[in-house]
Amino acid sequence: QEEENTHEPTGSIGAFRQYCSGEGARGQSRVRAWVEPGVGYGGRGGLRLGSAAGMFLLSQGYQGMVDGGNNIVEVSWESVSSILQVGGTVIGSARCKAFRNREGRLKAASNLIQRGITNLCVIGGDGSLTGANLFREEWSGLLEELAQSGKIEEEAVKKYAYLNIVGMVGSIDNDFCGTDMTIGTDSALHRIIEVVDAIMTTAQSHQRTFVLEVMGRHCGYLALVSALACGADWVFIPEYPPEEGWEDQMCVKLCENRARKKRLNIIIVAEGAIDCHNEAITSEKVKDLVVLQLGFDTRVTILGHVQRGGTPSAFDRILASRMGVEAVLALLEATPDTPACVVSLSGNQAVRLPLMECVQMTQEVQKAMDERKFCEAVRLRGRSFENNLNTYKLLSHRRPDAELPKTNFNVAVLNVGAPAAGMNAAVRSAVRVGITEGHNMFAVIDGFEGFSRGQIKEISWGDVGGWTGQGGSLLGTKRTLPAKYLEKIADQMRANNINALMVIGGFEAYLGLLELSAAREKYEEFCVPMVMVPATVSNNVPGSDFSIGADTALNTITDVSVRWMNSGSGSHRFQIFCLEKYGSYIGTLANMGGLAAGADAAYIFEEKFDIRELQANVEHLTEKMKTSIQRGLVLRNENSNENYTTDFIYQLYSEEGKGVFDCRKNVLGHMQQGGAPSPFDRNFGTKISAKAVQWISKKLRETYRKGKVFANTDDTVCLLGMRRRNLLFQPVVELKGEADFEHRIPKEQWWLKLRPLMKILAKYKTSYDVSDSGQLEHVARHSP
């Protein structure tokens, strides 16, 4: 157990709980165990898909495996109930020197054989997973040695001839190569951003500079993404040391920001930050430098272990559950020839990668850093890390006007539809990247309606300072479509010489671009590049798996659900809670919120239900209340059924549950649109918007002829969306076949495949679609 592997990420409880149940498996007879040697946060997700033959939890990681006894406990369904919202690890985590030696591994093998355990899911970092792989490689030799010493029978050597290992990466540092996100990272980012947002209030009031130290001895992911998410003035990370003379450069930038009447400065330092000579850059060193050279009132805040604590975010709960499922499937499908694998996240897909390939690349990063090959270290971290770094460099440092290219193109940005958390981060990114590209950036107030009224103004770099963490839409937004204002909008585009248009919004934004595209035949002013960035809490835009704002809404739902259920913990009566979720006809929030909150049922428009299913759900909950589980949660999407309303379902549950449980109801409504954006939405909005503006620049160059921009092809009106593993530009007209215009939802939705998972976790007997479960892939290495 390496020291860095004791970082305990919030969220793997979701994966841990999944693996425990004797229900929902596929008839395999081999016994399985769940061990967390290096980290906390294991898995409701995987445990509840485990084999009926027996499920075990190994307490205290490898130490518990070596010590045996009560550290290896067979568990039931109820054993992992009500832990989804719990941070840390319920089965414990500990360093284990004994497991590093063959003698310790021999004891561990003996303890496993006594219980017939030959399948292990290990949650940890590279050190823990490397130890698991070594254990697997030595397995047959360990059994032979145990047989020779008489500790096990010869028959046991044949019966338990091979050990299967599947790893899940739990680390708040996100320092494991091969996955876009490790379990616990998003929750740690939530803790950091909560602190940063609170500090910014104080810093603005007193005109102070704050230096924040965050975790990351060998990986700067937390520091880098939190700097992106809060618009920090400077960030120090181990993979990308500052150039020689950084001290003066940083002080100049801080002075420039103060000269622009910015009342605060935020500097973020990863605990492992170094300079180009491999000398440590500490938060105290940075503070002393600012005080000495600038005389600014400067404070240091070291976040420390607060980053590991708290409840897991919605993202981590869903990620852990999905990874737990994939781990179970990998174990069920494993053969003696299957190498140890690790389940990872690539874009929106769960993938399986050879464990040692990932470990080797992770170790190569550290080797490159030790050899001061920092560009190589950034490349090895993967595309996600590299994109974060490049985006931060684009947005944080404004080059002098003399160094900027000058295109003389005018690009307009507007928000359309309902407000979504993260819209402001997207606008900030668009404006600053556009200025960096040499364009003149214009902001349109109040969507297409404001556009028609001439509510358009040029916007500068400094105008969008501090926008990243602001909720709602600072530009204003309306649902109004452009069809009835086409002539007026065309006049405004001509008057302001608008050469490109960027629209940030939901389904109305998509419809708006379709209308503008169709109007090109009549109005030449619309023959310019136009791009849409999806931003809506409903997540209902065709062509994109994710929309800006949906993650924030999910966290609101999850937080409210947990608080609400906890409010009934002091009651002597069993309680059922019925929540109505926002989202019109789209069931994303209800389904994914149900998965994140551990709901017993989620009623959505996409999956028809009738009175028989409602009655079956009531009976199921009634049986559940006979166990030690005393609370239930039922979610309903607002337009899931015009007859079976929230009031109807509440009354049904209340009547049928008399004498067994009480029922409460709540309608969240527009609460889901408010609040500060989550780290995911800030980061996603920032990166996707930057990519959209770079696409605009490319199209402007391609369509500029004889002193004029003329773009009239389908591929010049696009939506930029996340599809499975990639961000893709898709012509809006080509997406018409994917949209249900009557209900304003996509015809196919990726999250529906996760719907059976929620039911399985609620102990319903149903099948789980494994068509997307991955074959073993290889770690992708991209060229410099």
Side-chain angles (χ1 to χ4, degrees):
Q1 174 89 343
E2 301 297 332
E3 186 176 351
E4 65 266 25
N5 294 331
T6 60
H7 282 206
E8 300 180 354
T10 300
S12 65
I13 293 295
F16 162 74
R17 187 173 170 218
Q18 174 97 11
Y19 201 66
C20 241
S21 161
E23 314 220 334
R26 298 190 296 171
Q28 299 291 321
S29 60
R30 296 173 65 79
V31 179
R32 286 157 183 84
W34 193 277
V35 58
E36 299 185 60
V39 298
Y41 314 89
R44 167 184 180 263
L47 284 163
R48 284 203 164 171
L49 274 181
S51 167
M55 285 302 312
F56 293 84
L57 299 180
L58 277 61
S59 299
Q60 308 308 318
Y62 288 142
Q63 189 66 55
M65 195 188 301
V66 171
D67 294 341
N70 293 332
N71 291 304
I72 305 177
V73 182
E74 188 166 7
V75 289
S76 65
W77 187 279
E78 286 75 22
S79 301
V80 290
S81 293
S82 302
I83 65 171
L84 183 59
Q85 72 275 12
V86 180
T89 165
V90 296
I91 60 174
S93 173
R95 303 176 187 178
C96 182
K97 292 183 180 179
F99 195 76
R100 298 180 187 177
N101 303 316
R102 183 177 175 85
E103 183 180 353
R105 295 192 291 274
L106 196 66
K107 291 180 181 178
S110 176
N111 289 326
L112 295 186
I113 291 300
Q114 288 176 21
R115 293 163 178 81
I117 297 172
T118 54
N119 291 272
L120 286 178
C121 181
V122 180
I123 308 177
D126 61 326
S128 301
L129 297 177
T130 301
N133 188 66
L134 175 62
F135 190 44
R136 176 183 175 276
E137 291 175 345
E138 292 182 342
W139 182 256
S140 58
L142 294 172
L143 296 195
E144 289 176 3
E145 189 172 336
L146 288 170
Q148 290 172 3
S149 63
K151 294 182 179 178
I152 63 173
E153 302 293 333
E154 286 292 342
E155 291 181 2
V157 177
K158 298 178 181 179
K159 184 177 181 181
Y160 306 117
Y162 63 93
L163 177 70
N164 291 323
I165 296 286
V166 172
M168 290 199 297
V169 191
S171 166
I172 65 168
D173 293 332
N174 202 35
D175 57 354
F176 194 81
C177 293
T179 185
D180 289 347
M181 189 77 84
T182 57
I183 297 169
T185 301
D186 188 69
S187 299
L189 284 171
H190 273 258
R191 302 294 89 78
I192 294 170
I193 294 305
E194 286 167 4
V195 172
V196 171
D197 286 350
I199 281 176
M200 288 177 78
T201 305
T202 300
Q204 285 178 328
S205 300
H206 296 276
Q207 200 166 0
R208 283 177 177 161
T209 296
F210 269 87
V211 181
L212 274 74
E213 182 180 303
V214 302
M215 282 183 172
R217 280 195 295 273
H218 306 290
C219 179
Y221 184 89
L222 289 179
L224 178 58
V225 174
S226 57
L228 261 179
C230 72
D233 297 273
W234 204 275
V235 64
F236 295 96
I237 60 174
E239 295 90 344
Y240 190 75
E243 298 175 354
E244 198 82 57
W246 62 268
E247 296 91 343
D248 292 335
Q249 293 175 24
M250 185 185 73
C251 290
V252 167
K253 183 183 178 186
L254 296 180
C255 284
E256 289 175 348
N257 288 340
R258 286 290 175 94
R260 296 190 191 106
K261 298 183 179 180
K262 184 177 179 181
R263 292 185 56 81
L264 79 157
N265 300 114
I266 298 290
I267 301 169
I268 296 182
V269 182
E271 60 180 329
I274 54 175
D275 62 20
C276 57
H277 302 294
N278 274 11
E279 296 294 324
I281 298 177
T282 65
S283 52
E284 285 293 337
K285 179 179 180 179
V286 174
K287 175 201 167 183
D288 293 341
L289 174 67
V290 174
V291 171
L292 180 65
Q293 292 201 17
L294 302 177
F296 289 175
D297 187 4
T298 307
R299 299 287 188 274
V300 172
T301 299
I302 300 175
L303 271 64
H305 287 72
V306 72
Q307 296 158 84
R308 300 184 193 172
T311 59
S313 66
F315 183 95
D316 270 331
R317 297 178 192 210
I318 295 169
L319 173 65
S321 295
R322 292 183 67 190
M323 296 300 102
V325 170
E326 193 65 28
V328 173
L329 295 176
L331 285 173
L332 292 172
E333 296 166 4
T335 69
D337 299 323
T338 304
C341 74
V342 60
V343 292
S344 303
L345 183 71
S346 177
N348 189 31
Q349 299 297 116
V351 298
R352 303 176 196 172
L353 301 172
L355 189 155
M356 292 313 297
E357 284 188 21
C358 297
V359 169
Q360 181 181 358
M361 186 181 288
T362 302
Q363 293 171 347
E364 286 178 15
V365 175
Q366 188 60 49
K367 181 180 177 183
M369 290 165 61
D370 292 340
E371 296 174 355
R372 296 168 61 183
K373 299 177 180 178
F374 298 111
C375 290
E376 175 73 3
V378 170
R379 184 182 68 81
L380 288 170
R381 281 282 181 224
R383 288 193 185 277
S384 177
F385 187 94
E386 193 169 21
N387 288 340
N388 283 323
L389 180 58
N390 290 335
T391 304
Y392 177 79
K393 289 190 288 185
L394 266 178
L395 299 176
S396 61
H397 302 286
R398 182 183 181 183
R399 288 183 290 168
D401 290 340
E403 296 180 13
L404 290 173
K406 196 62 182 174
T407 66
N408 291 319
F409 291 130
N410 295 341
V411 179
V413 182
L414 69 158
N415 295 333
V416 176
M423 274 184 165
N424 297 319
V427 172
R428 169 184 176 269
S429 176
V431 169
R432 291 195 169 181
V433 173
I435 291 172
T436 301
E437 296 275 303
H439 309 321
N440 304 310
M441 300 302 296
F442 288 80
V444 179
I445 312 302
D446 291 340
F448 289 119
E449 189 174 326
F451 209 158
S452 70
R453 296 173 180 169
Q455 294 175 249
I456 180 170
K457 62 178 182 179
E458 190 167 2
I459 189 167
S460 68
W461 183 283
D463 291 337
V464 293
W467 280 32
T468 309
Q470 298 293 314
S473 168
L474 295 176
L475 289 186
T477 181
K478 289 185 179 295
R479 297 178 182 270
T480 312
L481 297 178
K484 62 181 180 180
Y485 301 116
L486 289 174
E487 186 173 348
K488 291 182 179 180
I489 294 174
D491 290 343
Q492 291 299 328
M493 291 190 70
R494 183 171 57 255
N496 292 279
N497 191 28
I498 300 300
N499 306 117
L501 199 60
M502 178 173 170
V503 181
I504 303 168
F507 204 91
E508 290 86 359
Y510 171 69
L511 291 175
L513 279 195
L514 282 177
E515 292 178 358
L516 293 180
S517 178
R520 279 176 162 182
E521 295 180 2
K522 186 175 180 181
Y523 300 99
E524 188 177 305
E525 290 81 3
F526 299 139
C527 292
V528 297
M530 293 184 275
V531 66
M532 174 188 166
V533 170
T536 167
V537 299
S538 300
N539 200 44
N540 64 336
V541 177
S544 186
D545 294 344
F546 293 121
S547 295
I548 299 167
D551 183 73
T552 303
L554 271 177
N555 277 286
T556 299
I557 292 167
T558 304
D559 186 47
V560 170
S561 298
V562 171
R563 291 188 184 189
W564 200 23
M565 288 194 292
N566 286 343
S567 72
S569 61
S571 173
H572 296 292
R573 295 273 295 169
F574 301 141
Q575 296 202 0
I576 303 296
F577 300 92
C578 181
L579 272 71
E580 178 177 299
K581 304 299 184 185
Y582 187 78
S584 189
Y585 289 97
I586 187 93
T588 310
L589 293 182
N591 188 76
M592 302 305 284
L595 186 57
D600 295 277
Y603 302 114
I604 61 174
F605 171 78
E606 292 88 348
E607 187 174 286
K608 305 304 179 185
F609 59 95
D610 55 24
I611 193 65
R612 289 180 292 274
E613 180 168 346
L614 290 171
Q615 184 61 36
N617 293 154
V618 173
E619 293 172 357
H620 179 83
L621 281 166
T622 301
E623 289 300 312
K624 175 182 176 180
M625 295 304 165
K626 295 177 181 178
T627 68
S628 59
I629 306 170
Q630 299 182 6
R631 285 168 292 172
L633 178 65
V634 175
L635 308 182
R636 177 188 175 274
N637 193 57
E638 61 177 337
N639 287 341
S640 56
N641 189 290
E642 62 180 349
N643 294 315
Y644 300 131
T645 63
T646 300
D647 283 336
F648 177 90
I649 293 174
Y650 162 70
Q651 290 167 5
L652 175 67
Y653 275 74
S654 297
E655 180 65 27
E656 296 297 320
K658 281 183 177 179
V660 181
F661 55 78
D662 291 334
C663 192
R664 302 286 185 271
K665 71 171 180 176
N666 194 9
V667 178
L668 294 183
H670 288 78
M671 179 189 224
Q672 297 157 83
Q673 289 181 339
S678 68
F680 180 94
D681 278 330
R682 299 184 196 197
N683 189 28
F684 184 56
T686 297
K687 289 197 294 186
I688 195 173
S689 205
K691 191 175 181 70
V693 172
Q694 290 169 337
W695 176 89
I696 284 176
S697 298
K698 177 174 177 288
K699 290 299 178 183
L700 284 171
R701 291 191 296 270
E702 292 174 355
T703 58
Y704 184 71
R705 297 288 184 274
K706 298 180 181 180
K708 184 179 180 180
V709 173
F710 186 78
N712 65 343
T713 56
D714 289 345
D715 66 348
T716 56
V717 185
C718 284
L719 178 144
L720 175 56
M722 169 66 78
R723 302 298 290 263
R724 297 173 71 86
R725 301 190 191 186
N726 300 298
L727 282 171
L728 301 175
F729 289 96
Q730 307 147 94
V732 293
V733 295
E734 293 182 7
L735 294 172
K736 290 171 70 174
E738 298 184 23
D740 175 352
F741 289 96
E742 179 184 356
H743 300 104
R744 299 195 173 196
I745 61 176
K747 290 180 180 178
E748 293 187 8
Q749 300 172 61
W750 67 272
W751 54 265
L752 283 172
K753 291 187 177 181
L754 298 180
R755 185 155 175 78
L757 173 56
M758 190 198 71
K759 293 183 177 181
I760 290 170
L761 295 178
K763 209 173 183 180
Y764 288 91
K765 293 182 179 180
T766 186
S767 59
Y768 183 74
D769 182 3
V770 296
S771 60
D772 276 348
S773 64
Q775 299 299 315
L776 200 64
E777 302 180 12
H778 290 286
V779 179
R781 291 173 178 260
H782 66 279
S783 303

